[in-house]
Amino acid sequence: MAEAHTDAPSKDDEMRLTEAEIAVHWKEEEYFHPIPKFIGQANLTDPSIVERFSEKNFPECFREYADLLSWDKYWTTTLDSSNAPFWKWFVGGKLNVSYNCVDRHLEKYGNKAAILWVSEDESEPVVAITFQELYARVNEMAAVLRDFCGLKTGDRVTIHMPMVPELPVTMLACARLGVIHSVVFGGFSGEACGARIVDSGSRVLISMDGYYRSGKVIDHKVAADIAVKKAEAEGTKVEKVLIWRRFREKSASSTPLVEGRDFIVDELLKKHAGARVAPVSMPAEAPLFLMYTSGSTGKPKGVQHSTGGYLSYVTAASKFIQDIHPTDIYWCMADIGWITGHSFIVYGPLALAATTVMYEGVPTHPDAGRPWRIAERLNVNIFHTSPTAIRMLRKLGPDEPKKYNLRFKCMTTVGEPIEPEAWLWYYRTVGRSQASITDTWWLTETGGFLCSTKPAIDPMKPGSTGPPMPGIYPIIFDENGKEIPPGSSKAGNICIRNPWPGIMQTIWGDPERFVRQYYGKYNKDKNSKDWRDWPWLAGDGALIGKDGYIRILGRIDDVINVAGHRLGTKELESACLTVPEVAEAAVVPIVDPERGRVPEVYIALKPGIKADQAVADKVTKAIETEIGKIARPRTVRIVPDMPKTRSGKIMRRVLASISNSMDYGDITTLANPEVVEQIRVQVQGAGPVEKKAGPEDIRRFGETT
Ligand code: WTA
């Protein structure tokens, strides 16, 4: 790459059109209030929590969260900043995560469902796993991992599995041993999985033969073979591949087992039937898991989360924001392969002894009434999903929720800004105007929510995430580090001024990148041990209203948020460059009414290569192979040349403007300004600029709203 690339968003923003730049702004909405029935039963009704978690009580206020857990040894130091910004929470404390999520509930809730699993195939019965049964399964799997695989505390294991109960069983078995799991989203390709195996240094891969997706059984084992091959080519030998089976009686995959490497988990479990494995008492700051996510460079980063801090934080977030009680039937319709699933399908709800619902398949399969049938049948009373799912369900079945007896007391959204229109449908048609809605803003890096309304205390405001969580002190900076005060109508870069227990510990294997990316922009004294000198850069554009409610505008870096999933433009571009005919590639986000953003790809071909559909198809295929189907571009556009600065940088901003029918601004400083109009005509046709995105909705980042 010709340019020197830094992780922290640079001032050289001529390079890119950020998500925030094309962010949609909505007019200020009115407030909606929680109903007395909800308030009467809520976990958090005392507004003094804000005062208790104010700066004068920091960091000791977070004891309240850690006290929700069972500790083997109580901690001595709440926050150790001596190696800032590598924060250590609850130092000296010891605990085990699987004990906290399973064992400690046995006495009171042993016979209650911990997991209710719903197959995509509607004719397959729901599977209920009690806490007692979960305990047995986690122990047996822990015995397999320890005694058959030889895994021990601190080893890494990559898990590439679909949405089946065996996935949380495997995660909890790792946690029982202090083995660090790295769950890769099941929809990611074998190549993407292989790259993550290499980065984490896993010698064991845990996979599954197949699963249902949109009515078809997908052969998933084939991805394991590709992953192992890819890892081996890059110098990491995977010694064992454990394969769970989707069906007891038959294999869901036609891919053969590799002798001596691949093992069917059910057969291994038979040998460990009835095994009990003592939970390993882990230091609070031991890593619990890695979650790979996209950033500004081509290489996904392994976000490392801790044991004690992370579990304390997600348990409190589930209890106070999602209002989870042990008697609730809670359903988060995300995938465990993302951070939302880790924190809010597995760890938070199970630490609180709730019943957590897992659904295998596509929400609209076989029709847009499916989620509501599941909710009615299982008597779900807390529901958690993304704006993309809400938009999709509303579009395909606006009246479907009315056909079912829904009784949600609270509902959450996460992952993208939600437009007031979709919010109102969610509130009125799904929630029957009875449920409190929380719009939770956070990131893979933050473990749990950073901003949200407190559902029994704060009124809701469609389109705004809400005030900061207790003990989170946000600040909005402009490019030069000057604060943009609340109530000003200017947006800027949102940072959190303080560390909190759920914050990531580091980037696996790359601590310098961690410091550079999240603190490089606004830290002024690298040697400071005072947390006040280390504002944490989230990577989103945002503004704070007069009422303290925060509006998130979207990413300010090279990340595209597709249907709530983070994709790095650099990752997509390097996938394009694996096609031999391609000389240059640029990926830009385009506004999409359902998926929020989708990637559009521009490519320039090597000299002498004919521009035809076959090359474009190869590029799409390459993206699917390297990353997965979720990254599939809307369009691949073959252009004669890329618009470039005189120093040779591709002007993505110009391409994104063309794709989004926006004014592309001043291009006089380009090396080849003539190509811009050529591309515009190619994309939009001759004639005046078509304004398909609705210019009144689209404002430039930094302008008033
Ligand atoms: C976006 C998902 C607006 C944001 C938990 C962030 C949101 C990125 C919201 C992180 C929200 C998440 N409103 N935008 N409520 N929640 N985002 O790491 O741009 O997959 O930076 O974590 O999603 O995505 P990630």
Side-chain angles (χ1 to χ4, degrees):
M1 218 180 306
E3 69 194 90
H5 197 89
T6 53
D7 280 319
S10 71
K11 284 185 187 165
D12 181 17
D13 57 3
E14 63 164 11
M15 275 289 293
R16 42 185 165 242
L17 185 82
T18 64
E19 288 236 334
E21 276 178 296
I22 53 173
V24 178
H25 293 231
W26 304 292
K27 66 176 173 55
E28 290 276 327
E29 291 284 329
E30 57 186 293
Y31 293 112
F32 290 75
H33 295 270
I35 62 165
K37 188 172 162 210
F38 175 76
I39 299 171
Q41 60 79 61
N43 282 325
L44 178 60
T45 49
D46 178 2
S48 78
I49 188 159
V50 176
E51 170 65 20
R52 291 204 306 281
F53 280 76
S54 65
E55 212 165 322
K56 68 176 195 301
N57 296 324
F58 181 88
E60 297 306 322
C61 51
F62 282 111
R63 281 178 180 272
E64 216 179 289
Y65 286 8
D67 283 339
L68 296 172
L69 305 180
S70 305
W71 294 78
D72 302 335
K73 187 164 168 270
Y74 210 67
W75 65 92
T76 47
T77 310
T78 302
L79 171 64
D80 174 358
S81 305
S82 61
N83 189 24
F86 300 92
W87 320 107
K88 286 189 177 151
W89 283 91
F90 311 123
V91 182
K94 287 188 143 188
L95 75 168
N96 181 277
V97 168
S98 94
Y99 177 86
N100 271 278
C101 292
V102 187
D103 305 36
R104 71 164 172 162
H105 306 316
L106 293 179
E107 202 181 311
K108 215 162 158 196
Y109 301 112
N111 298 331
K112 191 181 90 82
I115 297 173
L116 290 174
W117 177 76
V118 184
S119 163
E120 194 195 66
D121 174 2
E122 227 169 340
S123 67
E124 212 178 324
V126 170
V127 173
I129 300 174
T130 62
F131 276 99
Q132 177 61 38
E133 172 64 10
L134 182 62
Y135 170 77
R137 291 199 195 188
V138 168
N139 272 277
E140 288 165 353
M141 186 59 183
V144 168
L145 297 180
R146 185 188 63 186
D147 302 340
F148 178 72
C149 300
L151 290 166
K152 52 182 194 321
T153 301
D155 288 344
R156 278 82 54 210
V157 164
T158 298
I159 305 175
H160 191 209
M161 286 176 67
M163 282 291 286
V164 289
E166 290 78 4
L167 174 53
V169 165
T170 307
M171 292 161 73
L172 290 164
C174 289
R176 198 162 189 88
L177 301 170
V179 167
I180 303 167
H181 60 69
S182 164
V183 177
V184 176
F185 169 56
F188 273 143
S189 67
E191 269 87 356
C193 178
R196 286 155 177 80
I197 290 174
V198 173
D199 193 81
S200 61
S202 304
R203 37 187 197 88
V204 173
L205 168 65
I206 305 177
S207 186
M208 188 151 203
D209 56 359
Y211 60 98
Y212 275 113
R213 192 92 198 145
S214 295
K216 288 196 290 280
V217 179
I218 307 273
D219 182 345
H220 188 62
K221 156 73 163 85
V222 71
D225 290 355
I226 296 168
V228 171
K229 211 165 127 209
K230 159 107 181 174
E232 231 157 68
E234 293 186 14
T236 302
K237 181 151 172 53
V238 177
E239 292 161 12
K240 288 191 171 69
V241 179
L242 307 194
I243 312 282
W244 287 97
R245 278 187 135 175
R246 175 62 179 76
F247 307 105
R248 266 334 81 162
E249 68 287 5
K250 60 174 188 205
S251 174
S253 156
S254 52
T255 314
L257 296 183
V258 174
E259 181 70 32
R261 187 200 74 181
D262 298 353
F263 302 90
I264 300 291
V265 181
D266 291 347
E267 286 163 13
L268 302 173
L269 284 171
K270 272 188 217 146
K271 297 184 192 131
H272 295 274
R276 294 293 175 261
V277 173
V280 178
S281 197
M282 298 297 294
E285 71 274 22
L288 175 64
F289 68 83
L290 308 178
M291 165 60 58
Y292 282 84
T293 191
S294 297
S296 308
T297 66
K299 196 169 164 256
K301 47 187 189 239
V303 171
Q304 178 183 317
H305 278 292
S306 73
T307 299
Y310 170 82
L311 194 66
S312 305
Y313 198 71
V314 299
T315 306
S318 285
K319 178 161 182 158
F320 299 135
I321 302 300
Q322 303 199 286
D323 197 46
I324 295 180
H325 302 66
T327 45
D328 289 321
I329 311 284
Y330 164 86
W331 182 17
C332 168
M333 206 174 61
D335 193 291
I336 292 176
W338 308 110
I339 191 71
T340 297
H342 277 53
S343 300
F344 299 113
I345 297 177
V346 181
Y347 290 120
L350 291 180
L352 293 171
T355 300
T356 185
V357 176
M358 286 179 69
Y359 173 55
E360 177 181 35
V362 175
T364 51
H365 182 83
D367 57 70
R370 186 71 197 276
W372 319 129
R373 278 201 293 287
I374 294 172
E376 182 187 72
R377 183 182 176 95
L378 301 180
N379 210 14
V380 175
N381 66 340
I382 309 176
F383 187 60
H384 185 43
T385 192
S386 66
T388 286
I390 296 168
R391 288 189 291 258
M392 203 162 61
L393 291 165
R394 174 171 176 248
K395 182 172 171 231
L396 298 178
D399 296 321
E400 284 297 313
K402 295 183 188 151
K403 298 184 190 160
Y404 301 94
N405 181 18
L406 302 179
R407 53 143 207 153
F408 298 122
K409 65 165 180 170
C410 58
M411 310 196 302
T412 310
T413 81
V414 65
E416 310 150 74
I418 178 163
E419 44 284 87
E421 228 186 42
W423 191 98
L424 288 169
W425 179 80
Y426 194 41
Y427 179 72
R428 292 190 178 127
T429 309
V430 180
R432 316 285 207 247
S433 305
Q434 302 287 301
S436 280
I437 295 189
T438 52
D439 177 345
T440 58
W441 170 69
W442 59 297
L443 293 81
T444 303
E445 291 87 337
T446 72
F449 310 146
L450 290 178
C451 287
S452 166
T453 46
K454 294 173 277 304
I457 299 175
D458 305 319
M460 308 157 241
K461 191 162 82 170
S464 289
T465 162
M469 290 278 286
I472 300 290
Y473 319 131
I475 186 165
I476 307 227
F477 283 127
D478 70 10
E479 279 301 310
N480 305 312
K482 201 165 157 291
E483 180 180 358
I484 302 177
S488 89
S489 49
K490 228 167 120 46
N493 300 325
I494 187 164
C495 293
I496 308 299
R497 287 194 293 115
N498 61 306
W500 63 97
I503 192 172
M504 67 188 286
Q505 297 183 294
T506 184
I507 293 175
W508 179 259
D510 202 348
E512 284 99 42
R513 184 175 171 196
F514 168 71
V515 178
R516 197 169 66 234
Q517 171 146 1
Y518 301 103
Y519 299 99
K521 200 171 169 82
Y522 295 120
N523 164 262
K524 294 200 182 66
D525 174 7
K526 293 216 158 349
N527 299 317
S528 172
K529 311 270 175 246
D530 184 345
W531 60 263
R532 290 168 195 82
D533 290 324
W534 295 92
W536 180 83
L537 178 75
D540 278 316
L543 42 87
I544 308 185
K546 284 192 196 70
D547 55 4
Y549 279 43
I550 294 176
R551 287 205 203 184
I552 301 298
L553 305 180
R555 303 291 308 184
I556 51 167
D557 54 11
D558 293 322
V559 169
I560 307 181
N561 190 340
V562 181
H565 302 143
R566 271 165 76 168
L567 297 175
T569 46
K570 290 278 189 309
E571 281 166 69
L572 287 148
E573 287 164 7
S574 30
C576 299
L577 294 175
T578 63
V579 176
E581 290 88 342
V582 174
E584 285 175 313
V587 176
V588 299
I590 52 176
V591 176
D592 180 89
E594 270 141 59
R595 293 161 69 78
R597 303 283 182 274
V598 287
E600 179 151 272
V601 172
Y602 286 85
I603 50 169
L605 302 178
K606 287 181 184 155
I609 308 270
K610 201 167 141 269
D612 58 16
Q613 191 55 38
V615 182
D617 292 346
K618 266 192 183 177
V619 168
T620 302
K621 185 91 196 86
I623 290 176
E624 286 182 15
T625 309
E626 296 292 319
I627 302 168
K629 285 209 167 66
I630 53 158
R632 190 188 296 157
R634 159 78 50 89
T635 328
V636 177
R637 300 192 184 276
I638 307 175
V639 292
D641 195 7
M642 296 286 178
K644 287 195 190 122
T645 61
R646 294 212 171 93
S647 59
K649 289 177 188 168
I650 299 176
M651 292 280 280
R652 289 179 188 77
R653 174 175 68 75
V654 171
L655 295 171
S657 302
I658 292 173
S659 287
N660 288 286
S661 301
M662 290 164 68
D663 177 10
Y664 46 68
D666 184 12
I667 52 164
T668 51
T669 57
L670 291 195
N672 53 353
E674 68 291 343
V675 79
V676 175
E677 188 53 19
Q678 239 177 313
I679 297 174
R680 189 189 75 74
V681 171
Q682 182 184 337
V683 174
Q684 299 173 356
V689 181
E690 53 168 295
K691 300 271 189 199
K692 64 175 179 212
E696 63 287 349
D697 286 339
I698 296 173
R699 305 261 192 282
R700 292 235 157 230
F701 173 44
E703 268 182 15
T704 54
T705 54

